[in-house]
């Protein structure tokens, strides 16, 4: 232990003396390496940030990695069976989808068809009516008097049987999420997404909620706003609160897909079996679709090719830096031949000298890595401040630790590549040099 | 006890194409406090002999006993430790490190990965060595500002700082004028009063005469 630390301390002193005697050289090799390490750090940081943004979007829109996704029918009592099957389970959530209009009675919604509010006015695509011969005509307004437009918003109404955020991490923007602990309320409590919130901000207060097939029009209560990654106005509500107003089958509007989406954790493997057997017992088709969400894999193929191309270019720049450090290292060893021979003559072991040379370049590499990582952090901070308004994904981005690790590894690898050959040369200098010089 | 005993030591060096036998059977014994001058023509192998004694290199044949122990084939690791503990070296050129002060140049022999002395102890030890050679006042000077004789005395202080048993000097006065040379040889000889053995390679008969023995290297044999 004492011998080792004596060696370590000796090499520290010798190494620092060497660096101090050649400050300019050390600086020059750092400069030659800096751009290479910076390139690696930048590529890594960029791809991690892009990946994070993509993954967050994918998770919002589809669900977390590994989540089981089932598309179930809603006809012939399938809705009731499904709602019953997930009741009381905390590893699965069913989502029904209907269309609702919230606003003053008797008005046409401003965004007919539930389109985003900034696209309102174009309306839904015209319905075609075809006769037996295949001649199709555009369906004309059925009502003699079209309802006047205004003060109502059409949106997707998603009934949920549990907290979906377990599977799709909606970001709460204000208020709170649907509460499943209390008893179901007669006035359905809605959590709306950002698009719906925009619509309501522009078009007044909700008064009543019209749901196709409902027994009456309840008065909804908006309790929160979330970012759900979706594109159109949407509201989330406890399915059991909707059931006060409509039959289970009415939760799913056949005009908008009509099925029930079921999200389950990867461990809930029994659910599929239960549903299939109960469906079969009730003569409901059992060939529903089941898939597992693999966001990472889906995204990986999108990003990895670009990332490898950029990393390849960064490696090339790094290689130029290594050549620089190697060049300086070899020149330095050439200059220090006599010093090394002398040090060996006074008893310094050759491996210690090799270690010192290697340690000097490693230190240079690490210092460079620290400088490049620092530049990366500062650069990202600056980019985030300057461009966050134009590129929202740049807002509040943290410097990815993966980029820091990549920078340190690049610095270490460059130090080893650039220092190894000079170190071996240093160890091979014959001591007799001091007598023949 | 006999400090150094070489018996029939041979060494062949490989040149560009043909190998040349430089030493063809050298016998040499050295007792503590003894001093030997080695004379010989240029190229006769004096430096080669010194590099074998000082464990820079190993003999091809013969036997090398150091304090009774056979170190003819000692591995490099052990040789480095022996160079540090047993030997001091002085060369024709001084080989001081330009970026270090005289004091640091002496204590650099203490910073060689062989054992550890704290900073304060290193400084006092190195300072003592400088003072033994009467150049303590130059401790803070860097080599480019020292005269040749002063530089060589710093180099001798570096060789003596670990109190070696054997001092090997290869033409230490070759780069100095006569008066300075005499001063340096006297400093080297003085170490033998304290029991250090000295091997002095020189071309100068006057310097050789100050040693307790004179040996001549001819045709690879010491006589
Ligand atoms: N690495 C080597 N390979 C081959 N031959 C060598 C090598 N080093 C030295 N020699 C040869 O060995 C011979 C002895 O060299 P050495 O340096 O020991 O002589 P020397 O007696 O010290 O001479 P000088 O008085 O000029 O210093 C010389 O002829 C030299 O050319
Ligand atoms: Mg010589």
């Amino acid at each position: 232990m004492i011998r080792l630390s004596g060696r370590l301390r000796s090499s520290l002193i010798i190494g620092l003396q060497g660096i101090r005697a050649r400050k300019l050289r050390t600086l020059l090799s750092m400069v030659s390496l800096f751009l290479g390490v910076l390139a690696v750090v930048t590529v890594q940081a960029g791809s991690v940030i892009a990946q994070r943004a993509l993954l967050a979007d994918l998770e919002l829109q589809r669900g977390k990695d590994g989540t089981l996704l089932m598309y179930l029918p809603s006809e012939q009592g399938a809705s009731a069976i499904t709602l019953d099957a997930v009741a009381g389970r905390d590893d699965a959530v069913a989502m029904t989808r209907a269309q609702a209009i919230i606003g003053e009675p008797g008005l046409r919604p401003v965004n007919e068809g539930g389109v985003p509010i900034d696209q309102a006015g174009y309306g839904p695509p015209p319905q075609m009516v075809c006769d037996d011969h295949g001649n199709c005509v555009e369906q004309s307004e059925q009502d003699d008097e079209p309802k006047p437009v205004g003060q109502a918003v059409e949106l997707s109404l998603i009934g949920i049987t549990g907290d979906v955020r377990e599977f799709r991490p909606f970001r709460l923007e204000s208020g709170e999420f649907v509460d499943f602990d209390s008893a179901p309320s007669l006035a359905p409590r809605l959590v709306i997404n950002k698009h719906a919130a925009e619509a309501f901000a522009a078009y007044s207060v909700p008064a009543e909620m019209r749901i196709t097939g409902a027994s009456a029009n309840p008065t909804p209560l908006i309790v929160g706003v979330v970012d759900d990654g979706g594109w159109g106005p949407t509201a989330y509500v406890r399915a059991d609160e909707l059931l006060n107003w409509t039959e289970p089958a009415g939760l799913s509007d056949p005009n908008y897909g009509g099925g029930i989406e079921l999200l389950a954790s990867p461990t809930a493997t029994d659910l599929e079996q239960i549903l299939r057997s109960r469906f079969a017992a009730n003569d409901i088709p059992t060939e529903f679709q089941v898939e597992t969400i693999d966001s990472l894999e889906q995204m990986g193929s999108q990003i990895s090719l670009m990332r490898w191309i950029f990393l390849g270019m960064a490696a090339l720049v790094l290689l130029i830096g290594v050549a620089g450090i190697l060049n300086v290292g070899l020149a330095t060893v050439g200059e220090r031949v006599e010093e090394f021979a002398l040090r060996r003559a006074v008893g310094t072991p050759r491996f210690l000298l090799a270690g010192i040379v290697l340690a000097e370049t490693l230190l240079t590499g690490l210092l460079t890595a620290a400088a490049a990582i620092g530049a990366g952090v500062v650069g990202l901070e600056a980019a985030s401040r300057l461009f966050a308004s134009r590129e929202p994904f740049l807002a509040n981005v943290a410097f990815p630790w993966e980029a820091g690790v990549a920078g340190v590894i690049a610095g270490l690898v460059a130090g080893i590549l650039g220092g190894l050959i000079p170190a071996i040369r240093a160890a091979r200098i014959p001591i007799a040099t001091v007598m023949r010089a | 006890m006999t400090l150094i005993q070489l018996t029939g030591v041979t060494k062949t060096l490989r040149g560009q194409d043909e190998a040349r036998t430089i030493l063809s059977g050298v016998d040499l014994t050295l007792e503590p406090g003894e001093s030997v001058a080695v004379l010989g023509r240029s190229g006769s192998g004096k430096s080669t002999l010194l590099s074998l004694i000082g464990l820079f290199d190993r003999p091809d044949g013969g036997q090398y006993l150091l304090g009774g122990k056979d170190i003819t084939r000692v591995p490099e690791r052990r040789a480095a430790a022996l160079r540090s503990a047993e030997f001091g070296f002085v060369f024709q050129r001084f080989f001081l490190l330009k970026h270090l002060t005289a004091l640091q140049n002496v204590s650099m022999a203490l910073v060689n990965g062989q054992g550890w002395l704290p900073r304060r102890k290193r400084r006092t030890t190195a300072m003592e060595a400088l003072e033994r050679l009467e150049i303590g006042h130059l401790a803070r000077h860097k080599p480019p500002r020292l005269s040749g004789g002063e530089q060589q005395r710093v180099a001798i202080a570096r060789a003596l700082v670990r109190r070696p048993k054997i001092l090997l000097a290869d033409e230490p006065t070759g780069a100095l004028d006569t008066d300075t040379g005499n001063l340096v040889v006297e400093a080297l000889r003085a170490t033998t009063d304290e029991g250090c053995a000295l091997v002095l390679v020189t071309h100068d008969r006057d310097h050789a005469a100050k040693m307790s023995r004179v040996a001549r290297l001819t045709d690879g044999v010491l006589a």
Side-chain angles (χ1 to χ4, degrees):
Chain A
M1 185 64 210
I2 287 167
R3 265 181 56 186
L4 185 73
S5 87
R7 291 214 163 124
L8 217 67
R9 292 190 211 195
S10 299
S11 43
L12 210 67
I13 290 181
I14 299 173
L16 286 180
Q17 277 176 352
I19 288 180
R20 274 218 320 255
R22 275 165 286 267
K23 290 191 200 83
L24 184 63
R25 280 210 172 169
T26 309
L27 190 72
L28 284 178
S29 37
M30 282 180 68
V31 169
S32 81
L33 198 55
F34 180 78
L35 279 181
V37 179
L38 187 64
V40 171
V41 169
T42 308
V43 170
Q44 189 66 19
S47 76
V48 169
I49 288 171
Q51 194 162 343
R52 270 190 206 159
L54 253 172
L55 186 65
D57 274 5
L58 278 174
E59 280 189 345
L60 270 188
Q61 289 164 11
R62 281 173 50 81
K64 285 185 186 160
D65 233 34
T67 300
L68 290 172
L69 199 55
M70 300 178 209
Y71 297 101
L72 305 171
S74 59
E75 300 86 3
Q76 302 164 25
S79 291
I81 291 173
T82 306
L83 293 181
D84 184 54
V86 297
R89 292 185 72 127
D90 54 9
D91 58 355
V93 172
M95 298 173 81
T96 64
R97 177 182 293 266
Q99 207 71 3
I101 295 169
I102 298 177
E104 287 179 32
L107 289 180
R108 253 170 69 173
V110 290
N111 63 332
E112 213 167 14
V115 297
I117 206 70
D118 49 5
Q119 292 166 29
Y122 303 109
Q127 298 264 333
M128 305 298 277
V129 178
C130 304
D131 62 17
D132 294 344
H133 305 288
N135 300 322
C136 294
V137 291
E138 203 172 297
Q139 191 184 36
S140 57
E141 281 285 352
Q142 306 233 311
D143 300 323
D144 297 337
E145 261 177 77
K147 292 175 191 163
V149 173
Q151 305 307 75
V153 174
E154 183 170 351
L155 40 69
S156 300
L157 186 65
I158 311 285
I160 49 180
T161 61
D163 195 338
V164 278
R165 289 179 301 173
E166 205 179 310
F167 306 105
R168 289 173 59 184
F170 294 164
R171 292 185 280 261
L172 195 61
E173 305 258 313
S174 66
E176 53 198 33
F177 199 69
V178 182
D179 164 33
F180 284 91
D181 294 331
S182 56
S185 142
L186 260 185
R189 290 169 293 181
L190 304 187
V191 169
I192 56 177
N193 72 354
K194 288 199 299 185
H195 297 287
E198 272 169 35
F200 287 126
Y203 297 100
S204 176
V205 273
E208 59 167 39
M209 177 161 75
R210 271 178 273 154
I211 312 167
T212 327
S215 54
N217 293 342
T219 306
L221 187 68
I222 294 177
V223 296
V225 178
V226 292
D227 179 4
D228 65 351
W231 68 280
T234 306
Y236 297 87
V237 61
R238 272 172 69 160
D240 51 2
E241 290 181 359
L242 285 182
L243 286 176
N244 289 324
W245 304 91
T246 178
E247 292 295 306
L251 293 180
S252 305
D253 188 334
N255 292 324
Y256 296 92
I260 292 183
E261 203 175 304
L262 198 137
L263 296 161
S265 71
T267 51
T269 42
D270 58 321
L271 203 53
E272 188 184 337
Q273 273 313 312
I274 292 175
L275 286 170
R276 280 196 206 283
S277 53
R278 290 205 199 163
F279 281 1
N282 288 278
D283 289 333
I284 301 166
T286 58
E287 62 275 12
F288 55 80
Q289 190 189 338
V290 181
E291 60 179 278
T292 304
I293 294 174
D294 50 358
S295 313
L296 280 176
E297 197 172 299
Q298 201 182 355
M299 181 183 55
S301 52
Q302 285 180 45
I303 283 197
S304 69
L305 180 66
M306 284 306 277
R307 179 192 193 169
W308 285 116
I309 291 173
F310 279 117
L311 265 186
M313 295 196 305
L316 225 64
V317 182
L318 189 65
L319 211 62
I320 297 173
V322 170
I325 217 175
L326 183 61
N327 185 16
V328 172
L330 285 176
T332 305
V333 168
E335 199 177 70
R336 293 171 82 179
V337 164
E338 292 179 356
E339 179 194 333
F340 289 146
L342 176 72
R343 287 196 186 276
R344 285 195 63 197
V346 299
T348 316
R350 63 202 305 176
F351 74 86
L352 202 69
L353 288 176
I356 288 163
V357 171
L358 193 58
E360 280 179 20
T361 43
L362 272 180
L363 196 65
T364 312
L366 283 179
L367 284 177
T368 312
I373 291 168
V377 171
V378 170
L380 184 64
E381 181 72 29
S384 161
R385 290 222 180 124
L386 285 176
F387 304 117
S389 50
R390 255 188 287 162
E391 304 289 346
F393 78 92
L394 273 178
N396 298 321
V397 278
F399 186 78
W401 61 267
E402 291 95 332
V405 171
V408 171
I409 290 175
L412 277 178
V413 167
I416 290 172
L417 286 181
L420 205 56
I421 299 174
I424 291 170
R425 285 221 180 157
R428 284 199 179 152
I429 294 168
I431 313 176
T433 307
V434 280
M435 292 192 296
R436 322 261 187 227
Chain B
M1 184 201 265
T2 304
L3 194 52
I4 280 181
Q5 184 165 10
L6 299 185
T7 333
V9 161
T10 61
K11 185 69 186 174
T12 301
L13 289 177
R14 191 157 290 281
Q16 301 291 28
D17 25 45
E18 96 283 31
R20 255 193 66 199
T21 299
I22 311 294
L23 303 177
S24 51
V26 170
D27 299 321
L28 174 69
T29 56
L30 204 58
E31 305 294 336
E34 206 182 355
S35 56
V36 184
V38 176
L39 296 172
R41 281 191 298 110
S42 176
S44 56
K46 304 183 293 295
S47 295
T48 307
L49 174 60
L50 228 47
S51 76
L52 293 183
I53 299 174
L55 294 173
F56 292 2
D57 206 350
R58 307 292 175 274
D60 294 331
Q63 194 185 43
Y64 181 179
L65 300 181
L66 178 70
K69 285 206 185 76
D70 189 346
I71 55 161
T72 318
R73 304 261 172 274
V74 69
E76 175 55 28
R77 235 170 197 283
R78 176 98 187 98
L82 285 173
R83 287 197 296 273
S84 169
E86 312 286 338
F87 293 94
F89 303 93
V90 181
F91 312 103
Q92 177 170 358
R93 281 177 51 206
F94 324 120
F95 292 116
L96 300 178
L97 302 178
K98 283 194 292 294
H99 54 279
L100 301 182
T101 64
L103 190 71
Q104 287 173 320
N105 264 290
V106 175
S107 61
M108 113 354 143
L110 299 170
V111 185
N112 60 359
Q114 310 280 1
W116 178 252
L117 289 177
R119 185 186 169 84
R120 185 185 295 265
K121 181 79 179 141
R122 287 202 306 271
R123 288 180 71 90
T124 52
T125 312
M127 199 62 208
E128 274 168 29
L130 283 174
E131 269 157 6
R132 267 164 79 191
L133 289 143
E134 290 157 6
I135 44 168
H137 58 288
L138 300 175
R140 291 168 162 279
H141 291 234
K142 291 196 176 171
R145 283 175 50 198
L146 298 175
S147 77
E150 287 165 346
Q151 289 189 50
Q152 191 60 302
R153 277 183 288 169
V154 173
I156 295 171
R158 179 181 65 198
L160 295 178
V161 72
R162 276 183 181 270
R163 302 201 165 263
K165 297 202 184 77
I166 307 119
L167 194 57
L168 304 174
D170 193 1
E171 298 183 47
T173 60
L176 304 174
D177 63 67
T178 317
D179 289 347
T180 324
N182 289 335
L183 212 68
V184 163
V185 170
E186 179 45 37
L188 289 170
R189 198 215 52 80
T191 60
T192 61
D193 296 343
E194 296 159 39
C196 185
L198 170 66
V199 180
L200 173 73
V201 170
T202 183
H203 288 294
D204 190 311
R205 283 163 203 282
D206 295 341
H207 293 161
K210 290 181 183 162
M211 303 297 118
S212 49
R213 264 197 297 145
V214 177
R216 177 172 291 277
L217 191 59
T218 21
D219 301 328
V221 179
L222 203 59

